[in-house]
Amino acid sequence: MVNLADELKPECPGRFYDYCENGLYAGGIVGAVRVAWEASPTAATNMTALESMGSIMSRVSKTAGWVTAVVATFSATECMSESMRGADDPMNAFAGGFNAGMLVAMYTRNPAIMLSTGIVSGGFAALIDAAGENILGDNDFQYFHTDPKGLYPRPTKTEKH
């Protein structure tokens, strides 16, 4: 039997924790916005203040837990794929996005919707990974912006006269 703890890269547990922490924050924000934008306010339901707070916290917690579960699925799958394949490329992000997308669509119980959501989510995650972190402000042109064979003309330095 294979011990996955020995197979994973050392940075995977830290990355998993970071993803889950950010998923919890994002889910909390999304849950709070959903409660704030709800059509029927809790004041109209004749709840006491304590019951109302409990209802609000319950709804925010459910959303935060759901988002965290999706993000944890993405992170765990991406790390396992990276460790098993031995390559750090967009295919790992595709695998993570595929599984996370299938989890999101699981409530439909329709395999076609789950498959299509997984493919779209995986493709989107792979594109984001392939674009490098420059989308978030870093100038890491890792995949799309390199030209190893010299097919595109390189800009020449302009000479000052």
Side-chain angles (χ1 to χ4, degrees):
M1 181 173 214
V2 176
N3 184 1
L4 284 178
D6 294 335
E7 299 295 324
L8 292 176
K9 290 186 166 188
E11 67 269 6
C12 278
R15 186 166 51 178
F16 178 78
Y17 175 79
D18 290 341
Y19 276 43
C20 288
E21 183 180 17
N22 291 332
L24 187 63
Y25 296 151
I29 291 170
V30 170
V33 169
R34 286 182 63 197
V35 168
W37 288 352
E38 189 173 82
S40 60
T42 55
T45 60
N46 296 327
M47 288 185 178
T48 65
L50 191 58
E51 290 171 338
S52 176
M53 286 298 294
S55 174
I56 290 170
M57 290 305 295
S58 172
R59 286 180 279 169
V60 170
S61 299
K62 285 179 186 176
T63 304
W66 181 248
V67 171
T68 303
V70 171
V71 170
T73 300
F74 172 82
S75 178
T77 305
E78 184 183 36
C79 274
M80 283 193 285
S81 174
E82 187 176 317
S83 296
M84 288 189 296
R85 294 179 60 241
D88 185 13
D89 60 3
M91 285 304 295
N92 302 325
F94 178 83
F98 181 81
N99 281 343
M102 287 189 63
L103 179 63
V104 168
M106 191 171 63
Y107 75 94
T108 65
R109 298 176 190 242
N110 184 336
I113 293 174
M114 290 172 61
L115 183 64
S116 60
T117 305
I119 290 171
V120 168
S121 299
F124 185 70
L127 283 173
I128 294 295
D129 188 52
E133 293 181 4
N134 62 340
I135 292 174
L136 302 175
D138 191 346
N139 291 325
D140 181 20
F141 302 119
Q142 187 173 1
Y143 296 103
F144 285 152
H145 302 289
T146 58
D147 185 22
K149 296 183 180 179
L151 299 176
Y152 302 111
R154 300 192 186 274
T156 59
K157 293 181 181 178
T158 56
E159 297 177 2
K160 294 182 181 180
H161 296 296

